[in-house]
Amino acid sequence: AVLPACAPSSLISPSFADAANAISANEASQSYDTYAATYDELDGGAAASALGIEAARSAILSRAKGRVLEIGVGTGLNVNKYKFSNKASATDTNDNEGVTSLTLVDISDGMLDEARAKISALNLPQHIQVEFLRADATSQLVQLFGKNSFDTVVDTFSLCVMGNEGAKNCLLQMRDVVKDQDGRILLIENTRSSNPLLGLYQDATADAASQVGGKGCIYNQNVTGMIQWTPGLAIEAEDAFAAGLFRSYVCRKNKS
């Protein structure tokens, strides 16, 4: 059942999540190297389907096109949700029929190994270019790829691991590497619930949950507010799932 909503997340102060401690990039790398082999059991499967996460992944990723960057790719839970281009040339980055190239970034080598296995199993056509890269998405995207480089930038459930400051920095990096014209940023993120009781419970437990079994995830972030307060970014579409425990976003560069 969908629980009643309270104030929209844009009206919720980001200070709710400030007390929760983010893990460092090195801690994240080591932690996710350990989780890699069993990660799909934690974030995929029947539980994810019951919460609507699998349907949300399919819906948001169907919008990806052209040259695509996915950060925090993890074990590659998204890769079979992309619609890949049938065109033999991957040079047409304005292709409206699907993804022409895929650049997959993660902080964990172990996660990237799992993602490589999933990509290999897809038997993609040779004209689909796929690249794997270990990098810190909070600071290295512009350095590695340059500005205005991708038609679509994707992240699912990574901002919570970066902490508030890291998430804000990552949004700036994603904004800069996505193209000015027709570029889109597609997100699915853990967020503070729109149900008041659930939201208060998240506030009270976010720090402990991030340290014990939470893989460093701060699950009560005000992601809507973070996007709105990122200069040059605008939200085109936002959908809440499971009483707002997670949300999907379509973002673009603000032309104003």
Side-chain angles (χ1 to χ4, degrees), residues 20-43:
N21 297 314
I23 59 177
S24 69
N26 285 337
E27 289 172 328
S29 177
Q30 294 170 6
S31 175
Y32 281 89
D33 280 348
T34 301
Y35 279 113
T38 57
Y39 184 83
D40 289 2
E41 298 172 13
L42 297 172
D43 275 25

Side-chain angles (χ1 to χ4, degrees), residues 166-186:
K168 293 172 186 175
N169 290 335
C170 184
L171 286 167
L172 289 170
Q173 291 280 314
M174 290 191 284
R175 177 204 65 189
D176 286 348
V177 298
V178 77
K179 290 182 178 180
D180 290 334
Q181 299 296 326
D182 300 322
R184 293 295 182 270
I185 298 172
L186 309 177

Side-chain angles (χ1 to χ4, degrees), residues 22 38 42 62 65 73 89 93 119-120 146 156 159 171-172 179 182 185 191 203 238 243 250:
T38 57
L42 297 172
S62 69
K65 66 176 183 178
V73 65
S89 172
T93 56
I119 285 288
S120 178
T156 60
L159 294 183
L171 286 167
L172 289 170
K179 290 182 178 180
D182 300 322
I185 298 172
T191 57
D203 296 341
E238 175 182 348
V250 179

Side-chain angles (χ1 to χ4, degrees), residues 84-95:
F84 291 97
S85 172
N86 292 321
K87 293 187 176 181
S89 172
T91 60
D92 182 6
T93 56
N94 292 317
D95 179 13

Side-chain angles (χ1 to χ4, degrees), residues 22-188:
I23 59 177
S24 69
N26 285 337
E27 289 172 328
S29 177
Q30 294 170 6
S31 175
Y32 281 89
D33 280 348
T34 301
Y35 279 113
T38 57
Y39 184 83
D40 289 2
E41 298 172 13
L42 297 172
D43 275 25
S49 295
L51 288 171
I53 293 174
E54 288 302 297
R57 288 184 195 270
S58 295
I60 200 81
L61 294 171
S62 69
R63 304 180 66 138
K65 66 176 183 178
R67 190 176 182 214
V68 175
L69 168 68
E70 181 178 343
I71 68 160
V73 65
T75 62
L77 285 171
N78 290 333
V79 296
N80 67 344
K81 308 284 193 307
Y82 287 112
K83 178 184 176 184
F84 291 97
S85 172
N86 292 321
K87 293 187 176 181
S89 172
T91 60
D92 182 6
T93 56
N94 292 317
D95 179 13
N96 289 320
E97 297 180 4
V99 175
T100 57
S101 73
L102 195 56
T103 301
L104 304 175
V105 169
D106 202 276
I107 197 68
S108 163
D109 287 322
M111 290 292 203
L112 287 171
D113 287 342
E114 297 292 325
R116 283 189 186 93
K118 285 190 175 67
I119 285 288
S120 178
L122 290 178
N123 295 315
L124 295 176
Q126 289 187 349
H127 67 266
I128 302 296
Q129 301 174 357
V130 181
E131 179 182 9
F132 301 85
L133 190 65
R134 184 183 183 276
D136 183 348
T138 68
S139 62
Q140 295 181 317
L141 300 182
V142 176
Q143 173 189 342
L144 290 169
F145 306 116
K147 294 184 177 182
N148 305 313
S149 297
F150 294 95
D151 301 287
T152 311
V153 179
V154 173
D155 175 57
T156 60
F157 301 109
S158 294
L159 294 183
C160 67
V161 182
M162 301 172 186
N164 283 348
E165 290 307 309
K168 293 172 186 175
N169 290 335
C170 184
L171 286 167
L172 289 170
Q173 291 280 314
M174 290 191 284
R175 177 204 65 189
D176 286 348
V177 298
V178 77
K179 290 182 178 180
D180 290 334
Q181 299 296 326
D182 300 322
R184 293 295 182 270
I185 298 172
L186 309 177
L187 307 172
I188 306 177

